[in-house]
Amino acid sequence: MTASGEADHRLLEELVAGLTRSAASAPAAGEPREGAAAAVAGVDRPGHHRATALAGSTALCAEDGSVLPEGSPEVTSVEAGTLFDMASVTKVVTALTAATLIEDGMLDPETPVAEYLPSPHPAITVRHLLTHTSGLPPVMPLWTIDGDRDTRLAAVTRAQLDAEPGTAHSYSCIGFILLGSLLEGLTDTPLPELARTRVLDPAGAMTAGWSPSELDASRAAATEYQDDPPRGLVRGSTHDETAWSLGGAGNAGLFATLDDALALGRVLAGRGPGPTLSAPVRALLTSDQLPAEVGTGAPWRQAFGLRVGQETAPGAVLPRVVGHPGFTGTSILADPGTGTVATLLTNRVHPHRTRFTVDRARRELALIAFA
């Protein structure tokens, strides 16, 4: 390992060890603190310079927040093959899938969504969905709607708008659920299968996918004890309640290992393997796509499905870095200019979403990899 690789490895080990050590000693109540029961991190640089680190256990706490006793069957050590619920990092894969269809001439980002599927909002285009400017609401409690998947998707298409399409940026899981449904209808293929053939397998993310089998679920890091809906400890099943109620959805539901996440990051960095994308289509994914008068309300800007710019400290941004975070405590980052990739995978929502955060760790990872 090179000197830079050894430095990366040492810093990553300190990062994940700090998160898991904090989780093991955190009180059950109070303000959220930096920590996660399970954590893995990696930095992958061109020229086979790669460093990874892992720490913690796939489960740590009982529902009341107390630490599970040693020897509990739920508690297994984190390994390189541990699966993490990627939450909204799923949007990266959905956006890449859409990009391959744009590349093939099957999908036009300027076309109204109503030309692809029933919609009462003729002004919403595919571009609006991919840039979170559709005006659709951020979330909807679809699990409370009686009926099957089609019934719940119909409710998504009928959702009332919070703003006129194209006039404001508002992060919307509902928009990406609609996008996933559109891709399914366009290709007559379920999104998990479509993403598998167009993105995941070509990228070499061979163990990534939606809804792990029962065998693989035992390798998944536990997420949250949920009361609404009453699911108990969620493990190997999609944490996001809305996506879970739909099965395969475009906003969340992907599971991946450290190797899978780095493989997807290499696609974003433009150094494959992966789907072949022309420079104009790749630019849609890696450069700001918002009108000048539309802001995100954050230091980063918005590409097709990806954020452009990564904070290293409050107010300090690396503008060339693209990627996306996930609510469960995951993130993938890439610098298309240098080819460097970084990922942090945690289950910071275990045992409850208000207990831990990994905001500082994400900034530290960006400093290690890109600064």
Side-chain angles (χ1 to χ4, degrees), residues 93-109 116 126 130 179-189 191 194-195 197-199 275-277 281 284:
V93 175
T94 304
L96 283 169
T97 303
T100 67
L101 295 171
I102 294 170
E103 184 70 50
D104 292 347
M106 297 176 64
L107 180 67
D108 182 351
Y116 292 109
V126 175
L130 281 158
L179 176 64
S181 178
L182 185 156
L183 301 181
E184 290 180 329
L186 180 64
T187 61
D188 195 29
T189 306
L191 180 61
L194 185 66
T197 57
R198 285 187 164 265
V199 176
T276 301
L277 300 173
V281 172
L284 296 173

Coordinates of all heavy atoms in Angstrom, one line a residue, residues 93-109 116 126 130 179-189 191 194-195 197-199 275-277 281 284:
V93 N -29.2 5.4 -8.3 CA -29.4 4.3 -9.2 C -30.6 4.5 -10.1 O -30.5 4.2 -11.3 CB -29.5 3.0 -8.5 CG1 -29.8 1.8 -9.4 CG2 -28.2 2.7 -7.7
T94 N -31.6 5.1 -9.6 CA -32.8 5.4 -10.4 C -32.4 6.5 -11.5 O -32.8 6.4 -12.6 CB -33.9 6.0 -9.5 OG1 -34.2 5.0 -8.5 CG2 -35.2 6.3 -10.3
A95 N -31.6 7.5 -11.1 CA -31.2 8.5 -12.0 C -30.3 7.9 -13.1 O -30.4 8.3 -14.3 CB -30.5 9.6 -11.3
L96 N -29.4 7.0 -12.7 CA -28.5 6.4 -13.7 C -29.3 5.5 -14.6 O -29.0 5.5 -15.8 CB -27.5 5.5 -13.0 CG -26.3 6.2 -12.3 CD1 -25.5 5.3 -11.4 CD2 -25.4 6.9 -13.4
T97 N -30.3 4.8 -14.1 CA -31.2 4.0 -15.0 C -31.9 4.9 -16.0 O -31.9 4.6 -17.2 CB -32.2 3.3 -14.2 OG1 -31.5 2.5 -13.2 CG2 -33.1 2.4 -15.0
A98 N -32.4 6.1 -15.5 CA -33.1 7.0 -16.5 C -32.0 7.5 -17.5 O -32.4 7.7 -18.7 CB -33.7 8.2 -15.7
A99 N -30.8 7.8 -17.0 CA -29.8 8.3 -18.0 C -29.5 7.3 -19.1 O -29.3 7.7 -20.2 CB -28.5 8.6 -17.2
T100 N -29.5 6.0 -18.8 CA -29.3 5.0 -19.9 C -30.4 5.0 -20.9 O -30.2 4.8 -22.1 CB -29.1 3.6 -19.3 OG1 -30.3 3.1 -18.7 CG2 -28.0 3.5 -18.2
L101 N -31.6 5.3 -20.4 CA -32.7 5.4 -21.3 C -32.7 6.6 -22.2 O -33.1 6.7 -23.3 CB -34.1 5.3 -20.6 CG -34.3 3.9 -19.9 CD1 -35.5 4.0 -18.9 CD2 -34.5 2.8 -20.9
I102 N -32.2 7.7 -21.5 CA -32.0 9.0 -22.3 C -30.9 8.7 -23.4 O -31.1 9.1 -24.5 CB -31.6 10.1 -21.4 CG1 -32.7 10.5 -20.4 CG2 -31.2 11.4 -22.2 CD1 -32.4 11.4 -19.3
E103 N -29.9 8.1 -23.0 CA -28.8 7.7 -23.9 C -29.3 6.9 -25.1 O -28.8 7.2 -26.3 CB -27.7 7.0 -23.2 CG -26.5 6.6 -24.0 CD -25.6 7.9 -24.3 OE1 -25.3 8.7 -23.4 OE2 -25.3 8.1 -25.5
D104 N -30.2 6.0 -24.8 CA -30.7 5.1 -25.9 C -31.8 5.8 -26.7 O -32.4 5.2 -27.6 CB -31.2 3.8 -25.3 CG -30.0 3.0 -24.8 OD1 -28.9 3.3 -25.1 OD2 -30.3 2.0 -24.1
G105 N -32.2 7.0 -26.4 CA -33.2 7.7 -27.1 C -34.6 7.2 -26.7 O -35.6 7.6 -27.4
M106 N -34.8 6.5 -25.6 CA -36.1 6.0 -25.2 C -36.8 7.0 -24.3 O -38.0 6.9 -24.1 CB -35.9 4.6 -24.5 CG -35.4 3.5 -25.4 SD -35.1 2.0 -24.5 CE -36.7 1.6 -24.0
L107 N -36.1 7.9 -23.7 CA -36.6 8.8 -22.7 C -36.1 10.2 -23.0 O -34.9 10.5 -23.2 CB -36.2 8.4 -21.3 CG -36.7 9.3 -20.1 CD1 -38.2 9.1 -20.0 CD2 -36.0 8.9 -18.8
D108 N -37.1 11.2 -23.1 CA -36.8 12.6 -23.4 C -37.0 13.4 -22.1 O -38.2 13.4 -21.6 CB -37.6 13.1 -24.5 CG -37.3 14.5 -24.9 OD1 -36.5 15.2 -24.1 OD2 -37.8 15.0 -25.9
P109 N -36.0 13.9 -21.5 CA -36.2 14.6 -20.2 C -37.1 15.9 -20.3 O -37.6 16.3 -19.3 CB -34.8 15.1 -19.8 CG -33.9 15.0 -21.0 CD -34.5 13.9 -21.9
Y116 N -46.2 9.8 -20.7 CA -45.7 8.5 -20.4 C -46.7 7.7 -19.5 O -46.8 6.5 -19.6 CB -44.4 8.6 -19.7 CG -43.3 9.0 -20.6 CD1 -42.7 10.3 -20.4 CD2 -42.7 8.2 -21.6 CE1 -41.6 10.8 -21.2 CE2 -41.7 8.7 -22.4 CZ -41.1 9.9 -22.2 OH -40.1 10.4 -23.0
V126 N -40.1 15.2 -17.2 CA -39.1 14.2 -16.7 C -38.0 15.0 -16.0 O -37.5 14.6 -14.9 CB -38.6 13.2 -17.7 CG1 -37.5 12.3 -17.2 CG2 -39.8 12.4 -18.3
L130 N -36.4 14.7 -12.1 CA -35.0 14.4 -11.9 C -34.3 15.5 -11.1 O -33.2 15.3 -10.5 CB -34.3 14.1 -13.2 CG -34.5 12.7 -13.8 CD1 -34.2 12.7 -15.3 CD2 -33.6 11.7 -13.1
L179 N -41.1 8.9 -10.9 CA -40.1 8.6 -11.9 C -39.8 7.1 -12.1 O -39.8 6.6 -13.2 CB -38.8 9.3 -11.6 CG -37.6 9.0 -12.5 CD1 -37.8 9.5 -13.9 CD2 -36.3 9.6 -11.9
G180 N -39.7 6.4 -10.9 CA -39.5 4.9 -11.0 C -40.7 4.3 -11.7 O -40.5 3.3 -12.5
S181 N -41.9 4.7 -11.4 CA -43.1 4.1 -12.0 C -43.1 4.4 -13.5 O -43.5 3.6 -14.3 CB -44.4 4.7 -11.4 OG -45.5 4.2 -12.0
L182 N -42.7 5.6 -13.9 CA -42.6 6.0 -15.3 C -41.6 5.1 -16.0 O -41.9 4.6 -17.2 CB -42.2 7.4 -15.4 CG -42.1 8.1 -16.8 CD1 -42.3 9.6 -16.7 CD2 -40.8 7.8 -17.5
L183 N -40.4 4.8 -15.4 CA -39.4 4.0 -16.1 C -40.0 2.5 -16.2 O -39.7 1.9 -17.3 CB -38.2 4.0 -15.3 CG -37.5 5.3 -15.0 CD1 -36.2 5.1 -14.2 CD2 -37.2 6.0 -16.4
E184 N -40.7 2.1 -15.2 CA -41.3 0.7 -15.3 C -42.3 0.7 -16.5 O -42.3 -0.3 -17.3 CB -42.0 0.4 -14.0 CG -41.0 0.1 -12.9 CD -41.7 -0.2 -11.6 OE1 -42.9 0.2 -11.4 OE2 -41.1 -1.0 -10.8
G185 N -43.2 1.7 -16.6 CA -44.2 1.7 -17.7 C -43.5 1.8 -19.0 O -44.0 1.2 -20.0
L186 N -42.5 2.6 -19.1 CA -41.8 2.8 -20.4 C -41.2 1.5 -20.9 O -41.2 1.3 -22.2 CB -40.8 3.9 -20.2 CG -39.9 4.3 -21.5 CD1 -40.8 4.9 -22.5 CD2 -38.8 5.3 -21.1
T187 N -40.6 0.7 -20.0 CA -39.9 -0.5 -20.4 C -40.6 -1.8 -20.2 O -40.1 -2.8 -20.6 CB -38.5 -0.5 -19.7 OG1 -38.8 -0.6 -18.3 CG2 -37.7 0.7 -20.0
D188 N -41.8 -1.7 -19.5 CA -42.5 -2.9 -19.2 C -41.7 -3.8 -18.3 O -41.7 -5.0 -18.5 CB -43.1 -3.6 -20.4 CG -44.2 -4.6 -20.0 OD1 -44.9 -4.4 -19.0 OD2 -44.4 -5.6 -20.8
T189 N -40.9 -3.2 -17.4 CA -40.0 -4.0 -16.6 C -40.0 -3.4 -15.2 O -39.9 -2.2 -15.0 CB -38.5 -3.9 -17.1 OG1 -38.5 -4.3 -18.5 CG2 -37.6 -4.8 -16.4
L191 N -38.7 -1.9 -11.8 CA -37.5 -1.1 -11.6 C -36.3 -1.9 -11.1 O -35.2 -1.7 -11.6 CB -37.8 0.1 -10.7 CG -36.7 1.0 -10.4 CD1 -36.2 1.7 -11.7 CD2 -37.1 2.1 -9.4
L194 N -34.9 -3.7 -14.0 CA -34.4 -2.7 -15.0 C -33.0 -2.1 -14.5 O -32.1 -2.0 -15.3 CB -35.4 -1.6 -15.2 CG -35.1 -0.5 -16.2 CD1 -35.2 -1.2 -17.6 CD2 -36.1 0.6 -16.1
A195 N -33.0 -1.7 -13.2 CA -31.7 -1.2 -12.7 C -30.6 -2.3 -12.7 O -29.5 -2.0 -12.9 CB -32.0 -0.6 -11.3
T197 N -30.1 -4.8 -14.8 CA -29.5 -5.0 -16.1 C -28.9 -3.8 -16.7 O -27.9 -3.9 -17.5 CB -30.6 -5.5 -17.1 OG1 -31.7 -4.6 -17.2 CG2 -31.2 -6.8 -16.6
R198 N -29.4 -2.6 -16.4 CA -28.8 -1.4 -17.0 C -27.7 -0.7 -16.2 O -26.9 0.0 -16.8 CB -30.0 -0.4 -17.3 CG -30.8 -0.8 -18.5 CD -31.8 0.3 -18.8 NE -32.3 0.0 -20.2 CZ -31.9 0.6 -21.3 NH1 -30.9 1.4 -21.2 NH2 -32.4 0.3 -22.5
V199 N -27.7 -0.9 -14.9 CA -26.8 -0.2 -14.0 C -26.0 -1.1 -13.1 O -24.7 -1.1 -13.2 CB -27.5 0.9 -13.2 CG1 -26.5 1.6 -12.3 CG2 -28.2 1.9 -14.1
P275 N -22.5 1.5 -17.2 CA -23.2 1.8 -18.4 C -22.4 2.9 -19.2 O -21.8 3.8 -18.6 CB -24.6 2.4 -17.8 CG -24.3 2.8 -16.4 CD -23.3 1.8 -15.9
T276 N -22.5 2.8 -20.5 CA -21.8 3.7 -21.3 C -22.6 4.9 -21.6 O -23.7 4.8 -22.1 CB -21.4 3.1 -22.7 OG1 -20.6 1.9 -22.4 CG2 -20.7 4.0 -23.6
L277 N -22.2 6.1 -21.1 CA -22.9 7.3 -21.3 C -22.1 8.4 -22.0 O -20.9 8.5 -21.8 CB -23.3 7.9 -19.9 CG -24.2 7.0 -19.0 CD1 -24.3 7.6 -17.6 CD2 -25.5 6.8 -19.7
V281 N -24.9 13.4 -21.8 CA -25.8 12.7 -20.8 C -25.1 12.7 -19.5 O -25.7 12.9 -18.4 CB -26.1 11.3 -21.3 CG1 -26.9 10.5 -20.2 CG2 -27.0 11.4 -22.6
L284 N -25.5 15.8 -17.6 CA -26.8 15.9 -16.9 C -26.7 15.4 -15.4 O -27.4 15.9 -14.5 CB -27.9 15.2 -17.6 CG -28.2 15.7 -19.0 CD1 -29.2 14.7 -19.7 CD2 -28.8 17.1 -19.0

